[in-house]
Amino acid sequence: MESQDGTIALTGQIGLIWKQTKAPLLVPFLKVMVVVCLAMSVMLFVERVYMGIVIVFLKLLGRKPEKMYKWEVIKDDVELGNSAYPMVLIQIPMYNEKEVYQLSIGAACGLSWPADRIIIQVLDDSTDRAIKSMVEQECKRWASKGINIKYEIRDNRNGYKAGALKEGMKHSYVKQCDYVAIFDADFQPEPDFLYRTIPFLINNPEIALVQARWKFVNSDECLMTRMQEMSLDYHFIVEQEVGSSTYAFFGFNGTAGVWRISALNEAGGWKDRTTVEDMDLAVRASLKGWKFVYVGNLKVKNELPSTFKAYRYQQHRWSCGPANLFKKMAIEIIRNRKVSLWKKFYVIYSFFFVRKIVAHIVTFVFYCVVLPTTVFVPEVQVPKWGAVYIPSIITLLNAVGTPRSLHLVMFWILFENVMSLHRTKATFIGLLEAGRVNEWVVTEKLGDALKAKSGAKASKRTHIRMGERLHLLELGVGAYLFFCGCYDMGFGKNRYFIFLFLQSIAFFIAGFGYVGTFVPTS
């Protein structure tokens, strides 16, 4: 009886504390957060609508890069012979790429270009001696076939990928080359890649970079890869296209692109001050007045991360790096005198602030924290246009890039909200230059490993340690959303509980590690 009375008394005390703190503290704070989140939502909405309008006009007007810039097929010259073709360096940075090294090296060696006008440079930072030996043997095998391929290693991994690319440019034979094409270890260019990109650089001296689109070979592997395809298709079909056609600027994707070496050097070369060395180089080159071209109809095969662990690491790097770069370069961009005021506004506000910072923060803070919390505070109301209409339109504008996956749009919303937890955390780490700001974990590629191991006996799958599958952050957010949903269903008036329950389930699924594929370790 005494314990029951004690419980009632404790409940009463908690209720009293809640009433005393809600009115003077929580209500004003939540109202401010709602206004801030609505403002960020409007920013994102305007950005998406603007780019949607631009892309429609580009399609209607048929503004292809071959029409916007001078582009002519490289013609054979009897007198000049192969010297009519410029020297091209192909760089393939690698790090313990056991599953895919043969694919990338083979594709690079299969490029249609005069053999004496191309140098393939494999930059191997592998720490596994067995893998290192296999990569070296593969290079020797292609060299024996008459391919001009160089196998380069270094004593350390300083600067990670940027350090490897920078070191690769120091070799004496690079001085012969006019252009450098870069392919990550899982990228497989088609044989005509150089024939379709190099003419832009030859005929237009103001162009520094030609970027191709990515084509995902494993997008159907699991639901997680389908979700990634939707997000990345929007990036390539809309963001890259709009940036290229209207401002001649976009962020270099770090691979499947060709640089004019003189422009690369003028911009200061590769720097390892952030984990987005590719974007860093692109911004610096743009500030020197160089232009970029995106060729959307030229696709290069590559692989999406299909394990949740690999995807989380990748998203941390892709979210932390741009925020950190924005902090380092904002003042430099503002002070620059070589580019127009309109282009500076586009780079600072649209490219960096809205897409790399606001988009991540508003997704998590608004839909996973502020909106759920309002169920406890009826004094704070979120207008329907901010809670329903704007996010719905933004979602549809994002999804149109992948029409084959429109029926999966609800899954995409829930998955993106889950990932926004890590993107928001990474964004703040980048802005504040906190602990993991320079963390670089190479995205794991599986190649054919999944197919080879899919036949493994089910008994082998039982060796998974639960600690490796549990993600406490996701579980914590999922529990909070579930609690909010229960309260809203029992006492609230917002009718958010359907969304809250669905979103909490998505967080729980991710929290228990049932996202992506699982590759047996044995």
Side-chain angles (χ1 to χ4, degrees):
M1 193 70 180
E2 289 181 5
S3 63
Q4 189 176 359
D5 291 340
T7 303
I8 294 172
L10 180 63
T11 305
Q13 285 181 343
I14 293 172
L16 183 63
I17 294 170
W18 170 252
K19 287 180 181 178
Q20 288 177 341
T21 57
K22 188 173 79 167
L25 296 176
L26 187 59
V27 172
F29 175 73
L30 209 52
K31 283 183 177 179
V32 170
M33 288 304 296
V34 168
V35 171
V36 171
C37 288
L38 288 175
M40 290 194 290
S41 293
V42 170
M43 288 181 193
L44 193 58
F45 173 74
V46 171
E47 170 77 4
R48 291 291 189 265
V49 170
Y50 162 71
M51 288 197 291
I53 292 170
V54 172
I55 204 69
V56 167
F57 272 101
L58 290 174
K59 297 299 180 185
L60 290 175
L61 297 173
R63 294 192 68 186
K64 295 183 178 181
E66 290 83 357
K67 294 181 180 180
M68 293 175 63
Y69 295 94
K70 189 177 179 182
W71 190 94
E72 293 178 1
V73 176
I74 300 175
K75 296 176 182 177
D76 292 326
D77 190 301
V78 178
E79 293 183 4
L80 295 174
N82 287 345
S83 60
Y85 293 80
M87 282 291 292
V88 179
L89 175 70
I90 308 292
Q91 287 187 315
I92 310 174
M94 289 193 173
Y95 175 71
N96 294 339
E97 309 287 1
K98 180 182 178 181
E99 308 297 349
V100 294
Y101 73 94
Q102 287 180 308
L103 297 175
S104 56
I105 293 174
C109 292
L111 288 168
S112 299
W113 201 254
D116 60 338
R117 307 300 291 171
I118 188 171
I119 302 172
I120 296 168
Q121 187 185 65
V122 177
L123 303 167
D124 190 12
D125 270 0
S126 298
T127 52
D128 186 310
R129 290 184 179 180
I131 296 174
K132 218 166 190 173
S133 177
M134 287 190 289
V135 175
E136 185 176 11
Q137 288 303 314
E138 183 70 7
C139 292
K140 287 180 178 178
R141 188 172 73 84
W142 281 104
S144 67
K145 295 182 180 182
I147 302 295
N148 189 0
I149 185 168
K150 310 286 186 182
Y151 176 73
E152 305 290 0
I153 59 173
R154 53 189 184 135
D155 297 331
N156 54 66
R157 286 191 68 218
N158 293 345
Y160 304 108
K161 180 181 173 181
L165 293 170
K166 184 176 182 178
E167 196 66 28
M169 297 299 291
K170 293 179 180 179
H171 294 282
S172 58
Y173 55 81
V174 174
K175 294 177 182 178
Q176 309 169 40
C177 302
D178 304 296
Y179 312 110
V180 55
I182 301 161
F183 299 103
D184 282 352
D186 58 316
F187 278 71
Q188 306 163 56
E190 295 296 329
D192 65 347
F193 179 88
L194 295 178
Y195 278 101
R196 296 180 64 181
T197 54
I198 296 296
F200 283 107
L201 296 161
I202 292 175
N203 298 307
N204 303 277
E206 74 277 16
I207 291 177
L209 166 68
V210 182
Q211 173 74 60
R213 182 179 165 185
W214 297 2
K215 180 182 179 182
F216 314 111
V217 296
N218 65 331
S219 57
D220 290 324
E221 193 164 304
C222 61
L223 189 58
M224 191 183 81
T225 53
R226 288 289 291 270
M227 301 299 99
Q228 291 178 65
E229 181 189 39
M230 291 178 73
S231 299
L232 288 169
D233 274 353
Y234 179 82
H235 169 69
F236 284 107
I237 294 171
V238 179
E239 291 179 345
Q240 297 282 84
E241 196 77 64
V242 170
S244 174
S245 302
T246 53
Y247 308 96
F249 169 79
F250 48 83
F252 174 44
N253 295 315
T255 178
V258 188
W259 277 92
R260 186 186 302 275
I261 291 178
S262 60
L264 192 154
N265 291 333
E266 186 187 340
W270 295 103
K271 293 185 179 180
D272 59 3
R273 57 181 175 170
T274 70
T275 56
V276 282
E277 72 296 320
D278 42 17
M279 188 182 293
D280 187 353
L281 176 61
V283 174
R284 284 185 280 113
S286 178
L287 294 180
K288 294 289 184 181
W290 291 98
K291 294 181 178 180
F292 306 157
V293 175
Y294 172 68
V295 187
N297 58 6
L298 176 58
K299 300 176 183 179
V300 180
K301 295 177 185 176
N302 73 294
E303 180 184 321
L304 291 164
S306 57
T307 65
F308 190 47
K309 180 181 178 182
Y311 187 55
R312 284 178 69 187
Y313 278 126
Q314 183 202 67
Q315 292 304 296
H316 173 85
R317 192 173 78 244
W318 285 7
S319 303
C320 179
N324 189 228
L325 182 64
F326 174 64
K327 179 183 179 180
K328 292 180 185 297
M329 293 204 69
I331 301 300
E332 185 181 342
I333 295 168
I334 292 169
R335 290 176 177 171
N336 184 274
R337 295 183 179 181
K338 283 195 174 183
V339 297
S340 66
L341 185 65
W342 182 239
K343 188 170 183 177
K344 282 194 277 189
F345 175 78
Y346 170 75
V347 175
I348 290 175
Y349 176 77
S350 180
F351 179 78
F352 273 117
F353 187 64
V354 176
R355 291 188 223 164
K356 312 300 182 187
I357 295 174
V358 167
H360 301 326
I361 293 174
V362 74
T363 305
F364 178 69
V365 173
F366 193 22
Y367 303 114
C368 299
V369 179
V370 173
L371 200 64
T373 305
T374 59
V375 303
F376 302 116
V377 190
E379 297 93 330
V380 179
Q381 294 290 323
V382 179
K384 189 173 283 187
W385 60 265
V388 179
Y389 301 143
I390 279 185
S392 297
I393 295 171
I394 290 174
T395 298
L396 290 173
L397 289 173
N398 273 278
V400 293
T402 316
R404 79 185 189 102
S405 297
L406 276 173
H407 63 291
L408 300 174
V409 71
M410 182 55 69
F411 293 103
W412 181 78
I413 293 169
L414 298 174
F415 180 70
E416 283 294 290
N417 286 349
V418 171
M419 293 310 302
S420 70
L421 165 64
H422 299 286
R423 292 172 184 148
T424 300
K425 184 178 73 170
T427 299
F428 280 115
I429 288 173
L431 289 173
L432 300 173
E433 294 197 273
R436 294 174 60 197
V437 66
N438 290 317
E439 179 186 70
W440 181 288
V441 178
V442 175
T443 305
E444 179 187 19
K445 292 99 178 179
L446 300 181
D448 295 324
L450 194 63
K451 296 175 185 176
K453 293 182 179 180
S454 61
K457 294 181 180 179
S459 60
K460 291 184 179 180
R461 294 177 179 243
T462 60
H463 293 301
I464 316 165
R465 286 179 291 182
M466 280 306 293
E468 294 179 359
R469 298 198 70 148
L470 289 178
H471 304 293
L472 297 180
L473 272 177
E474 284 90 340
L475 291 174
V477 176
Y480 177 70
L481 292 173
F482 185 76
F483 177 66
C484 292
C486 291
Y487 185 91
D488 190 46
M489 188 168 65
F491 310 103
K493 300 176 182 179
N494 295 321
R495 298 184 183 275
Y496 291 155
F497 61 87
I498 296 175
F499 162 73
L500 293 172
F501 284 143
L502 288 173
Q503 190 62 69
S504 67
I505 291 169
F507 271 99
F508 282 137
I509 291 172
F512 285 112
Y514 289 100
V515 176
T517 58
F518 166 68
V519 182
T521 54
S522 56

